Amino acid sequence: MADTTARRAVLAGVDGSVSALHATRWAAREAGQRHAPLHLLHACALPPLGPHADTGTEAGLLEALVEQGHRWLRQAKAEARDTGGEVKLRTELRVGPAAAELVEESAYALVVVLGSRGLGGFRGMLAGSVSSGVCAHAHGPVVVVRGRLPGKPPPEDGPVVVGVDGSEAGDTAVAFAFEEAAHRRVPLVAVHTWVDLSVAETWSALPFDIDWGAVADDERRLLAERMAGWREKYPDVPVRQEVVRDRPVRGLLACAEEAQLIVVGSRGRHVPRGMGLGSTSQALLHHSGCPVAVVR
Ligand SMILES: Nc1ncnc2c1ncn2[C@@H]1O[C@H](COP(=O)(O)OP(=O)(O)OP(=O)(O)O)[C@@H](O)[C@H]1O
Ligand SMILES: [Mg+2]
């Protein structure tokens, strides 16, 4: 159980994969920038052996898994030291299912950082079950570290991009994005997309007279209003506001081509509470060329 009085840590999930090592480095840098401790966690569990293994065999297998886990944690620790310098660091091994352990610990973390892939899955798979599951159920922000190409390290320069959709989760995402841009001393690009193409096509086929230009002006005004308070709070962060008439995921990916981080809410206006991730966040976890922060 975490010590809740201590300073909240940046929590990274370690599973022996290259992707998790990229995540560990990203987490170490994040901890350094935020003057937070770094917590490296590995979880291991026995496969469902049922009656096919005796207790002695089970104990032996678990011991081997634990030993391997400690080896991976030592490797991740060395990687973190190499990047994060003097950050306060602790490693932890838990016996239990990884996604559940990470979700539980997310309640005490500043942010959870994971690789997009791990040791499992299959070739061509774009995001693993631990990373998607933790994004859907964590108690706080989760960053899934991705590179421009599969298996490559994430980009380290460029702006922070945030998707602004006017929802409550979207506002929390804006707060997180400003903090990240401020720590990294880079500009923030606030992107608001405002039309679903299917709606536009249906409407243009019907005899409605809609002034799309005026709608766009309204959306621009709305974005400016939503951003005004934050810009005052972070006067040193240069902000660019983009209003895009496109589907959210396409608009965000286009604006994030040069970005080092893309920040979205865990669900938008269309996903009811308790239903996990919205489709935009899910699609970004699979297709973004830079780390994705999913914030709730
Ligand atoms: N056992 C674990 N303990 C701690 N963190 C983990 C563990 N497994 C995965 N992670 C974290 O989650 C990230 C994504 O791994 P994930 O397991 O989701 O993908 P995968 O192994 O490719 O697919 P899957 O396990 O769904 O078959 C890893 O890079 C790591 O950060
Ligand atoms: Mg896995």
Side-chain angles (χ1 to χ4, degrees):
M1 177 57 65
D3 173 7
T4 50
T5 57
R7 182 135 174 57
R8 282 175 177 250
V10 173
L11 170 67
V14 173
D15 72 347
S17 65
V18 172
S19 188
L21 286 180
H22 291 320
T24 300
R25 296 183 80 96
W26 198 96
R29 240 175 263 124
E30 177 79 0
Q33 278 160 358
R34 289 185 175 247
H35 306 292
L38 177 62
H39 180 183
L40 303 176
L41 177 66
H42 172 67
C44 59
L46 281 176
L49 301 172
H52 310 294
D54 57 37
T55 39
T57 310
E58 276 195 0
L61 179 55
L62 186 59
E63 202 178 305
L65 289 176
V66 166
E67 223 169 83
Q68 171 182 258
H70 281 301
R71 241 188 349 263
W72 287 338
L73 283 169
R74 278 197 298 277
Q75 180 194 28
K77 185 176 170 177
E79 202 80 14
R81 278 275 166 265
D82 192 39
T83 328
E86 291 305 300
V87 294
K88 205 171 142 206
L89 186 156
R90 85 179 159 106
T91 60
E92 184 184 10
L93 186 140
R94 290 195 191 178
V95 176
E101 295 294 341
L102 287 160
V103 166
E104 186 191 316
E105 194 56 28
S106 71
Y108 312 102
L110 194 61
V111 53
V112 180
V113 184
L114 304 172
S116 57
R117 286 290 317 276
L119 287 180
F122 50 87
R123 228 174 119 201
M125 191 173 89
L126 302 172
S129 60
V130 175
S131 43
S132 333
V134 176
C135 280
H137 300 289
H139 301 288
V142 182
V143 174
V144 174
V145 175
R146 300 180 55 89
R148 301 253 185 265
L149 294 169
K152 294 295 173 207
E156 283 176 24
D157 46 19
V160 172
V161 168
V162 60
V164 185
D165 68 352
S167 70
E168 223 178 279
D171 262 356
T172 324
V174 172
F176 184 85
F178 263 105
E179 256 174 59
E180 287 295 329
H183 285 306
R184 287 158 198 269
R185 300 175 200 281
V186 295
L188 179 68
V189 182
V191 183
H192 174 57
T193 63
W194 62 275
V195 80
D196 193 310
L197 288 186
S198 59
V199 173
E201 269 157 32
T202 319
W203 285 15
S204 59
L206 293 169
F208 292 135
D209 186 16
I210 294 168
D211 181 351
W212 290 111
V215 179
D217 286 345
D218 281 351
E219 296 295 326
R220 239 173 257 123
R221 239 189 330 273
L222 279 175
L223 176 61
E225 278 168 24
R226 279 214 106 82
M227 297 299 290
W230 293 108
R231 296 181 73 139
E232 253 170 53
K233 194 169 168 205
Y234 291 91
D236 295 335
V237 175
V239 178
R240 199 173 86 222
Q241 292 173 183
E242 297 277 355
V243 172
V244 186
R245 185 181 162 188
D246 200 348
R247 297 182 66 97
V249 69
R250 288 214 314 218
L252 283 165
L253 283 176
C255 291
E257 268 170 16
E258 306 288 316
Q260 62 172 288
L261 176 67
I262 178 160
V263 185
V264 285
S266 55
R267 61 194 143 69
R269 286 180 291 193
H270 308 122
V271 179
R273 216 170 259 281
M275 266 191 66
L277 283 187
S279 73
T280 304
S281 323
Q282 244 173 65
L284 290 173
L285 286 187
H286 289 85
H287 298 289
S288 165
C290 68
V292 180
V294 176
V295 184
R296 72 191 61 238

